[in-house]
Amino acid sequence: MTAAAEALRQPTSAQPGSLRANLRLFWLGGLISYRALFNWARPSIYIPTLIGAPTFQILFFAALGSYATGIDAEFFAIGNAVQVSAMSGIYGMTMAIANERWFGTLHALLATPASRWAIFGGRFIPFIANGLLVSVYGFAISWIFLGVELRAEALGVVALGLLATVFSCSAIGAVQGGLSMRLRDGLFGANLLVFLFLLFCGVNIPLEVLPGWMQAVSQVLPFTHGLQAVRAAVDGAGLDQVGGLIAIEFGIGAFYAVLAFGLFSFLERSARQNATLDVR
Amino acid sequence: MDGLRRNARLVWRVWVFTMRSFLASEFFILTAILQPVIFASIAFFLFQAGGDAAGEHTLLWAALGTGMMGVWSTTLFGCGGAIQWHRWEGTLELLVAAPSRYDMVLLGQTLGASTFGFYSIVATIAWGMVLFGMPLNADFPLLLPVALAVAILSLGCLGMLLATSFVLYRHANALSNLLEYPIWIVTGMIVPLAVLPGWLGPISWVLSPTWAMEAIRGSAIGSEPPWLAMVLCVALAVVYYLIARRVLRFVLDKARRDATLALA
Amino acid sequence: MTISPEPTPAIEALDLVRTYRTHTGVIRRRPLNVEAVKGVSFQVRPGELFGLLGPNGAGKTTTIKMLITLLLPTSGTARVMGHDVVNETTEVRKRIGYVFGGDRGLYDRVSALDNLRYFAELYGVDPGEQKQRIAALLDLVGLTGRENEKVEGYSRGMRQRLHVARGLLHDPEVVFLDEPSIGLDPVGARELRGTIRDMVDAGKTVLLTTHYMFEADALCDRIAVINDGRIVALGTGADLKGAVANRTIVEIETFGVAPEAVDALRADPEVIAVNMEERDQSQILLVQSERGTHITPRLLSRLGETRVGKVVGREPTLEDAYVHLIATTSETDGTAARAAAVSV
């Protein structure tokens, strides 16, 4: 027997589906997927796209908003500082899922016994972290250029509000990722979503100004409640006052996350039925 | 004379071809129509909420401004990656080796992109009229087509300059992402330069979108015909074209020397 | 004397059928049922190297996808290591490795090591053993020293080797290889065959699909020839050759042979079959007849005015058996002649 065969004879223990395996897949696997699938993971792209562009977005809407409505620039700065996390959450999650198709790795992935929750759940974490980072950066820009101040006592509540918002935004990004497995151009939908978030959700336009149906739609989208909480917290509101809004935002995120997983399950089942995995 | 006619035909052919390929692209439908319309909605709501902050032609101002923003986006994304796209497709070598002048091909492409961008203005105006009750009138209607023509020309040439400069940067698309908002701000498309910091002024003067916006806006809602703006559009177009040609020659020579014409 | 019981087959397929519903036409879309696999049955013993051989489009990949749980059979059943592929997917997936050929299927933007680490997590390989296991596999496939390079820079041969390493991470009992030598140069292909033999030596069961007949012949213990969604022959290489063993092949080189002349050859009572190979300027007629018949002069006279070049009489090879099988079973009207399946 060759040395190679000898080496292959050494048994390996593998316990897919155990709690330990799932946790490792969730955290470590999530991180590897982030580097493997996120188109912008390189600094040469990351910096212009997730740092450069958001800077100017905040400045643009601060200028436009305050010129058009007379409302203080801070309103628009905060709205956009939070909204810029949408790019990480939505584009990122879309790429994290749709790029499996691009690389042709989906077969290999689905042929493993790994828990689908662990696989896709783990992909959220790096993008949530990324989104938080981009938002924090947005606040920094707002402070430097527009004098938007964040009191130290408010930081905790603002951070919590941000976390809820970034989570729900990533969740809707995951839904978009699932849809893009079947539709031809996933990034089209992702782009559209990001623009729509500028219009709805009280990011640039105060909710009261929007027509009724748009307000209703905003209520079921990410950002709306989390943003309200963040705005209030910047103005000095405490957790007792905005906790409810933050909880609703987490709830909305959970809803979209469950929707996303339902979609993935459906897609996998449908692929086994109809061989749709092979359609590029 | 014959050479000029041949070049003009080449540019025209590429122009038309480029426009047709944009029509088939979902991405450009998004950039030239959906994105401006969404931004127009944002602007309409904001201006309406603010009452008379911007004056009596508020909505038309907003429509033209957001439309022009769309023109810029389309020009930027359509041109920024033009050379890089050819490289990827493997056609750059063929184009450079062909007897026709590559700079004419590039010009046709960039003009096609900026022309296509003008769907944005049509879209935002239509949107404003249908959904926000915007009245449509132009103070100097005969000048409008002229304004549009010089705007297309000046933006197309700026696009050519972008294309030749971006090719040196591997991730041109990332740079394109970066240049959208700043230009919207600096050229005073929707927030008038008057309310922005003074030092932005000189920067805006060398950018043709500033004058293109002035020309179009002036024809529609200006108090006097925008002759200066139109002349400056044309002047800048010529300057951009000449610089772009120089840069292109340098870039292609470098690529031929470094054997990178074919590399993606 | 006690008779030891038959071991449970490692892979068992029973009347597997797979139909696809697609559409034809753009304006008036009519539904179309494509039968990719039309009732495939076979069994693979533990430790066997089994080959599924057939031309492109025969149904090999569809069959393998059903066995590795990626595709549901339209009807029929299959079991891998005793577990049903439809209802016990997790149990099946734990025990199988899946290696496929081609340019895609790896995460290009990260290193080979990261690819292996990720799949080690997907397979739940014990964390304490991961590092050693990955190192041992990299050594096995000859990628040691290059594991930190991004896969996007890998050659086709290196990618294939990485695919193999990935398929073995969790020490599966059964390894499925789907056309693994596609696009490999001869040296790479030979190395791959060596690795496959090592797998079998280590006690694994291997099922290999290929359209390279010589590869199946060189490697496999048994071969199933699949054509047009059905198994048309099953046995060892010797068995398959045996189907043509008592025949003689006369190779006749012709220049512009008319179809009537070929029919005239077929009409000869002692001619079993005539297959034709097209070359640039000529055609090679492969005439099969019972061994021992000196029919060459008769053949030449039947060809009449046709311009003839080289004439060679020889022993049949596995290739002749294969070509003949495929040619006679490619009729799609359902009345295809089936070579006798040789059971073992």
Side-chain angles (χ1 to χ4, degrees):
Chain A
M1 187 184 310
T2 59
E6 276 290 350
L8 281 176
R9 261 194 194 248
Q10 307 301 325
T12 300
S13 52
Q15 287 170 315
S18 67
L19 183 63
R20 187 184 187 192
N22 283 344
L23 283 176
R24 282 183 65 97
L25 181 56
F26 187 87
W27 292 103
L28 296 176
L31 205 54
I32 297 181
S33 310
Y34 173 78
R35 280 172 30 235
L37 297 169
F38 188 40
N39 292 356
W40 300 337
R42 269 182 293 219
S44 52
I45 312 182
Y46 190 96
I47 291 178
T49 312
L50 286 177
I51 296 188
T55 307
F56 294 108
Q57 179 186 323
I58 294 172
L59 294 175
F60 174 78
F61 280 108
L64 172 61
S66 53
Y67 172 69
T69 63
I71 299 176
D72 190 64
E74 175 175 313
F75 176 84
F76 305 97
I78 296 179
N80 283 280
V82 176
Q83 191 274 355
V84 292
S85 63
M87 287 205 276
S88 156
I90 294 179
Y91 290 127
M93 283 307 282
T94 302
M95 288 173 198
I97 294 158
N99 275 348
E100 296 277 3
R101 220 167 74 164
W102 174 260
F103 288 118
T105 42
L106 201 50
H107 299 191
L109 193 67
L110 293 180
T112 67
S115 148
R116 294 356 185 186
W117 290 90
I119 296 178
F120 292 110
R123 292 183 187 193
F124 272 77
I125 306 297
F127 292 109
I128 292 180
N130 213 352
L132 278 175
L133 199 63
V134 178
S135 274
V136 165
Y137 174 75
F139 274 97
I141 289 292
S142 307
W143 173 58
I144 294 174
F145 289 103
L146 302 167
V148 174
E149 292 215 351
L150 212 54
R151 278 188 304 270
E153 317 85 70
L155 273 178
V157 188
V158 168
L160 199 56
L162 271 181
L163 182 62
T165 314
V166 169
F167 164 64
S168 60
C169 171
S170 302
I172 207 176
V175 174
Q176 171 60 29
L179 290 174
S180 63
M181 290 288 252
R182 279 292 189 84
L183 306 174
R184 226 164 34 116
D185 188 1
L187 284 181
F188 180 88
N191 274 318
L192 197 56
L193 256 183
V194 173
F195 293 144
L196 287 174
F197 280 129
L198 289 171
L199 178 59
F200 289 80
C201 308
V203 168
N204 285 308
I205 307 170
L207 276 175
E208 319 82 72
V209 172
L210 289 174
W213 69 269
M214 288 178 75
Q215 292 193 37
V217 169
S218 301
Q219 294 296 331
V220 299
L221 286 177
F223 285 116
T224 311
H225 300 91
L227 184 53
Q228 274 182 298
V230 169
R231 286 196 202 278
V234 170
D235 276 343
L239 191 55
D240 48 327
Q241 291 159 292
V242 300
L245 286 169
I246 296 182
I248 298 180
E249 187 71 57
F250 271 117
I252 293 183
F255 167 74
Y256 284 113
V258 168
L259 189 62
F261 281 105
L263 189 55
F264 299 155
S265 288
F266 167 73
L267 287 172
E268 189 179 353
R269 260 199 325 269
S270 154
R272 291 180 76 210
Q273 290 269 30
N274 304 319
T276 44
L277 270 186
D278 296 332
V279 176
R280 265 171 264 292
Chain B
M1 204 49 216
D2 193 40
L4 186 62
R5 207 176 18 180
R6 208 174 342 119
N7 282 332
R9 253 191 36 191
L10 176 62
V11 173
W12 176 246
R13 286 262 175 80
V14 176
W15 191 330
V16 170
F17 178 77
T18 306
M19 286 216 32
R20 239 182 282 148
S21 52
F22 280 155
L23 266 174
S25 158
E26 290 163 340
F27 177 74
F28 282 101
I29 302 292
L30 180 77
T31 310
I33 299 186
L34 291 178
Q35 179 182 351
V37 146
I38 292 175
F39 276 80
S41 308
I42 298 175
F44 290 145
F45 280 123
L46 286 176
F47 280 110
Q48 277 181 335
D52 275 332
E56 62 170 54
H57 291 296
T58 311
L59 290 185
L60 189 51
W61 168 288
L64 288 174
T66 49
M68 198 63 192
M69 282 158 58
V71 174
W72 173 243
S73 299
T74 310
T75 306
L76 181 61
F77 288 107
C79 300
I83 295 188
Q84 197 64 353
W85 189 77
H86 275 158
R87 238 198 205 136
W88 259 46
E89 291 278 308
T91 46
L92 183 61
E93 279 184 311
L94 296 173
L95 285 169
V96 171
S100 312
R101 286 173 50 176
Y102 182 57
D103 63 331
M104 291 289 128
V105 171
L106 199 56
L107 184 62
Q109 259 192 293
T110 56
L111 285 172
S114 71
T115 313
F116 189 78
F118 279 85
Y119 277 113
S120 305
I121 297 194
V122 172
T124 55
I125 291 187
W127 191 254
M129 286 172 66
V130 170
L131 288 176
F132 289 83
M134 179 185 81
L136 185 62
N137 53 0
D139 288 338
F140 302 102
L142 293 177
L143 283 181
L144 255 176
V146 183
L148 281 170
V150 298
I152 289 176
L153 183 68
S154 64
L155 267 139
C157 291
L158 181 54
M160 188 177 168
L161 184 54
L162 283 175
T164 52
S165 318
F166 279 13
V167 73
L168 298 167
Y169 185 61
R170 202 177 155 199
H171 303 293
N173 282 330
L175 266 191
S176 301
N177 280 331
L178 185 56
L179 285 182
E180 226 181 350
Y181 282 102
I183 299 293
W184 291 345
I185 300 174
V186 140
T187 54
M189 284 181 190
I190 194 163
V191 181
L193 278 167
V195 305
L196 293 174
W199 54 270
L200 284 177
I203 303 178
S204 72
W205 300 336
V206 300
L207 292 169
S208 63
T210 315
W211 303 113
M213 185 79 259
E214 275 302 316
I216 295 175
R217 212 153 46 195
S219 312
I221 54 183
S223 42
E224 31 179 66
W227 296 121
L228 179 62
M230 293 201 274
V231 164
L232 283 170
C233 273
V234 176
L236 280 171
V238 171
V239 169
Y240 291 148
Y241 171 70
L242 291 173
I243 301 179
R245 234 176 62 173
R246 234 12 221 88
V247 175
L248 183 63
R249 206 174 307 158
F250 168 74
V251 162
L252 288 180
D253 278 346
K254 186 177 190 315
R256 281 206 291 257
R257 227 179 309 123
D258 298 346
T260 54
L261 266 184
L263 289 182
Chain C
M1 183 172 95
T2 51
I3 302 171
S4 50
E6 275 289 314
T8 330
I11 305 173
E12 199 178 352
L14 194 57
D15 286 327
L16 283 178
V17 171
R18 175 68 212 193
T19 315
Y20 291 110
R21 224 175 312 145
T22 60
H23 297 92
T24 57
V26 174
I27 301 188
R28 250 174 313 147
R29 286 162 68 83
R30 291 185 329 271
L32 189 67
N33 273 347
V34 175
E35 289 179 297
V37 175
K38 300 175 187 171
V40 157
S41 304
F42 59 86
Q43 291 186 349
V44 179
R45 283 189 306 260
E48 192 176 10
L49 214 184
F50 188 85
L52 202 55
L53 166 70
N56 289 326
K60 307 188 294 293
T61 300
T62 307
T63 304
I64 220 182
K65 289 233 171 108
M66 286 194 276
L67 294 172
I68 60 178
T69 75
L70 287 186
L71 211 52
L72 288 174
T74 311
S75 71
T77 59
R79 307 183 82 80
V80 175
M81 297 308 294
H83 296 281
D84 185 272
V85 301
V86 174
N87 302 319
E88 300 175 75
T89 52
T90 310
E91 294 305 314
V92 171
R93 290 170 185 166
K94 277 185 193 168
R95 294 167 170 73
I96 63 173
Y98 174 37
V99 177
F100 50 95
D103 263 331
R104 300 166 83 231
L106 293 165
Y107 295 111
D108 282 4
R109 282 199 206 114
V110 291
S111 66
L113 190 56
D114 279 333
N115 270 272
L116 289 177
R117 278 202 198 120
Y118 188 55
F119 275 87
E121 299 300 348
L122 286 168
Y123 281 110
V125 175
D126 193 281
E129 296 177 18
Q130 271 185 25
K131 219 167 151 181
Q132 286 163 279
R133 182 80 184 158
I134 291 178
L137 285 171
L138 284 169
D139 197 42
L140 174 76
V141 298
L143 285 176
T144 311
R146 307 208 54 181
E147 66 269 23
N148 288 310
E149 291 170 31
K150 295 212 172 96
V151 172
E152 60 193 359
Y154 270 24
S155 68
R156 176 72 82 95
M158 290 168 76
R159 280 168 184 266
Q160 189 54 57
R161 289 188 261 164
L162 186 55
H163 272 292
V164 170
R166 178 178 67 188
L168 296 172
L169 272 170
H170 56 302
D171 193 34
E173 292 157 79
V174 182
V175 185
F176 291 87
L177 296 118
D178 191 9
E179 309 234 28
S181 49
I182 287 252
L184 285 184
D185 62 86
V187 174
R190 195 151 29 105
E191 284 173 353
L192 177 64
R193 289 199 287 273
T195 310
I196 296 177
R197 273 192 215 99
D198 289 331
M199 289 185 214
V200 177
D201 281 342
K204 299 186 187 303
T205 309
V206 174
L207 187 147
L208 167 74
T209 71
T210 180
H211 63 259
Y212 297 124
M213 184 258 358
F214 68 88
E215 181 172 84
D217 193 22
L219 273 178
C220 301
D221 299 327
R222 279 192 307 147
I223 304 172
V225 180
I226 183 169
N227 188 28
D228 218 20
R230 272 188 248 272
I231 295 194
V232 298
L234 180 64
T236 63
D239 297 329
L240 295 178
K241 255 179 269 195
V244 294
N246 52 352
R247 295 182 188 177
T248 307
I249 308 290
V250 179
E251 273 187 26
I252 308 178
E253 185 186 26
T254 59
F255 299 91
V257 63
E260 302 83 56
V262 180
D263 289 334
L265 282 183
R266 288 204 177 101
D268 188 295
E270 273 164 339
V271 165
I272 298 173
V274 180
N275 297 110
M276 183 161 73
E277 266 174 43
E278 295 278 353
R279 299 287 155 86
D280 275 333
Q281 310 282 1
S282 60
Q283 303 80 40
I284 307 286
L285 300 176
L286 300 161
V287 184
Q288 287 191 15
S289 61
E290 286 294 322
R291 187 195 276 296
T293 359
H294 302 285
I295 63 171
T296 315
R298 223 165 56 226
L299 295 176
L300 292 175
S301 78
R302 275 181 183 264
L303 281 174
E305 295 299 311
T306 316
R307 212 176 112 215
V308 165
K310 232 172 20 176
V311 178
V312 176
R314 59 171 177 77
E315 303 273 328
T317 62
L318 182 57
E319 177 155 14
D320 296 306
Y322 176 62
V323 168
H324 183 56
L325 266 174
I326 299 302
T328 52
T329 57
S330 287
E331 278 95 74
T332 49
D333 63 355
T335 59
R338 291 181 63 154
V342 183
S343 61
V344 178

